[in-house]
């Protein structure tokens, strides 16, 4: 085994050069004349090829180092078939005169030292455009051999790549950036076609002020993933209306004493759930789910209503079963019971399964309206905002009426605007005159 130290050859006039590229990785095999390193002077680049076949033990320089003639570059183990005696490491360099293609202005190029001594056994060629054996237009691009290899492996035509190295030299990062750019533009094309989702940039918020990074609860994580899935999969439309609940509220207040006797607090939510259940029976198209095969829908003959509950751990949706068969007192008891269980973290998985339609009531919090996200595989959700006294035209005059803002979001794959409009109109009718619920 013969170890050889490869040194910087005669530079043809330049005093120092920069190591701009290490062409191999430690342990790589190298054939005679293959490039070991690429050096760069002020005006030109130069490959230093291996004098013979062998294996790279290690580099003795790093990219960015400045070296001069005679400095050690690399340690090579020469193949046993080669005779170390034949190795001549410090041969002068041939400077190859070529027409300047790009980098330097002509005046600068003319101030280059005249070509140095020429030998018949050149170790390296200094050129002001790198030439490493590639032919055609790409051969005139300013890039080192390992960059060319990388480009070939990735199928990149160097002509298309803009170099960011000194004087426009193409470096590996440029190939990376080019490939990423191509992939992103492919993704953008997909985006334009509506079949891809742009990624969210990661932001260091601490650069703007003090922050805390807090772990999401399990419920928050689940909610995030469900909301995201439903937002992306369900083509949402939201239908708005107001229900006049003036009479409903006076009736509800009249039940206060009875409620105390029964031990049940009756809120508008119980009436709304009953109205939804009866409207679902009258509009079975809203009580469907799309089958996962995309060929069928499931028509449900049961009527379970989910109710969003805001808890410190996150949003949960317990399900009030068979709401169409229950009276309003019974529903009110279910609402209170599930709200308490949700806030105490005592809901069981079964309590949150089997919903046909959901209600999200922000009535106690406020707002004129919001567009709820469908809780798939259900196809509809009713968002309820805070009731307000409003002037309503009765045909002769404006009358103060208590109006409840309603927003019905639905899955337009299965529910048409007409279906949604009829369903919403029924809910408004039931809430505006609850006698209809008894019919
Ligand atoms: N407009 C005005 N007042 C309303 C109202 C409305 N739409 N809805 C309820 N209220 C009033 C009731 O009249 C009652 O007041 P009184 O006792 O004086 O009559 C009070 O608010 C009752 O509020 P509540 O919250 O105790 O009970 P509820 O039955 O109205 O609601 C529940 C139960 C579980 C739906 C509710 O507590 C809740 O958690 N809502 C939040 C839902 C949510 O977060 N949705 C968003 C989901 S998507 O992010």
């Amino acid at each position: 085994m013969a170890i050889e130290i490869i040194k910087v050859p005669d530079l043809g006039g330049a005093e120092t050069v920069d190591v701009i590229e290490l062409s191999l990785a430690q342990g790589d095999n190298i054939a005679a004349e293959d490039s070991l390193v690429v050096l760069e002077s002020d005006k030109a680049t130069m490959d230093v090829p291996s004098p013979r076949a062998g294996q790279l033990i290690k580099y003795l320089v790093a990219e960015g180092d400045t070296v001069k003639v005679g400095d050690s570059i690399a340690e090579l183990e020469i193949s046993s078939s080669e005779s170390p005696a034949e190795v001549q490491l410090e041969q002068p360099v041939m400077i190859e005169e070529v027409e300047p293609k790009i980098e330097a202005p002509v005046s600068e190029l003319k101030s280059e030292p005249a070509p140095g001594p020429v030998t018949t056994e050149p170790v390296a060629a200094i050129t002001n455009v790198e030439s490493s054996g590639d032919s055609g237009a790409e051969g005139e691009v300013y890039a080192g051999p390992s960059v060319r290899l990388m480009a070939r492996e990735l199928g990149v035509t160097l002509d298309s790549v803009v170099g960011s190295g000194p004087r426009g030299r193409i470096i590996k990062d440029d190939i990376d950036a080019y490939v990423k750019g191509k992939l992103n533009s492919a993704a953008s094309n997909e985006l334009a076609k509506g079949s891809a989702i742009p990624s969210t940039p990661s932001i260091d918020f601490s650069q703007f002020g003090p922050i805390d990074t807090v772990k999401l609860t399990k419920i928050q994580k689940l909610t995030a993933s469900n909301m995201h899935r439903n937002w992306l999969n369900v083509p949402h439309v939201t239908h708005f209306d107001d229900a006049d609940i003036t009479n409903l509220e006076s009736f509800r207040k009249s039940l206060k004493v009875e409620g105390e006797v029964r031990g049940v607090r009756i809120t508008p939510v119980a009436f709304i759930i009953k109205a939804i259940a009866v409207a679902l029976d009258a509009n079975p198209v809203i009580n469907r789910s799309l089958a996962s095969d995309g060929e069928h829908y499931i028509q449900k003959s049961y009527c379970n209503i989910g109710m969003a509950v805001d808890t410190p751990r996150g949003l949960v949706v317990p399900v009030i079963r068979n709401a169409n068969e229950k009276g309003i007192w019974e529903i009110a008891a279910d609402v209170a019971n599930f709200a308490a269980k949700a806030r105490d973290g005592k809901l069981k998985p079964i309590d949150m399964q089997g919903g046909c339609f959901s209600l999200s009531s922000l009535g106690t919090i406020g707002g004129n309206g919001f567009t709820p996200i469908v809780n798939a595989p259900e196809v509809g959700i009713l968002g309820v905002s805070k009731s307000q006294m409003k002037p309503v035209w009765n045909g002769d005059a404006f009358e103060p009426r208590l109006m409840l803002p309603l927003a019905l979001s639905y899955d337009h794959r299965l529910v048409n605007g007409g279906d949604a409009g009829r369903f919403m109109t029924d809910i408004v009718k039931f809430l505006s005159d609850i006698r209809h619920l008894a019919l």
Side-chain angles (χ1 to χ4, degrees), residues 206-254:
S206 65
Q207 62 185 308
F208 307 117
I211 58 161
D212 279 330
T213 302
V214 182
K215 203 169 169 45
L216 291 170
T217 64
K218 268 189 182 169
I219 293 178
Q220 285 171 325
K221 275 205 274 188
L222 201 63
T223 301
S225 109
N226 286 346
M227 291 293 179
H228 194 206
R229 187 191 62 217
N230 295 341
W231 179 254
L232 293 174
N233 282 313
V234 176
H236 281 76
V237 177
T238 305
H239 181 107
F240 301 93
D241 209 340
D242 290 337
D244 180 342
I245 59 164
T246 317
N247 296 337
L248 186 156
E249 269 301 89
S250 55
F251 175 62
R252 184 182 72 87
K253 282 180 181 149
S254 73

Side-chain angles (χ1 to χ4, degrees), residues 227 249 252 265-269 272 307-310 315 335 339 343 360-365 370 384-387 404:
M227 291 293 179
E249 269 301 89
R252 184 182 72 87
R265 193 168 67 106
I266 197 163
T267 67
V269 166
I272 296 168
M307 172 185 73
V309 183
D310 186 30
L315 184 68
V335 168
R343 287 178 183 132
S360 176
S361 171
L362 291 179
T364 50
I365 298 168
F370 62 100
V384 177
S385 297
K386 194 175 179 64
S387 58
L404 183 70

Side-chain angles (χ1 to χ4, degrees), residues 10 46 91-96 116-119 121-127:
D10 186 332
M46 174 178 74
Q91 298 181 16
V93 174
M94 180 182 80
I95 295 176
E96 185 182 295
V118 176
T119 76
E121 293 180 59
V123 173
I126 293 179
T127 64

Side-chain angles (χ1 to χ4, degrees), residues 66-86:
T66 300
V67 292
K68 59 181 186 317
V69 177
D71 282 353
S72 301
I73 298 173
E75 210 174 305
L76 275 191
E77 184 186 327
I78 302 298
S79 303
S80 51
S81 57
E82 303 259 10
S83 161
E86 292 171 12

Side-chain angles (χ1 to χ4, degrees), residues 3 5 21 53 60 76 155-156 160 195 223 229 244-245 255-256 281 332 335 387 439:
I3 304 295
I5 306 294
E21 199 172 294
L60 302 169
L76 275 191
V156 172
S160 325
S195 56
T223 301
R229 187 191 62 217
D244 180 342
I245 59 164
L255 297 172
K256 199 165 181 233
D281 279 351
V335 168
S387 58
L439 298 177

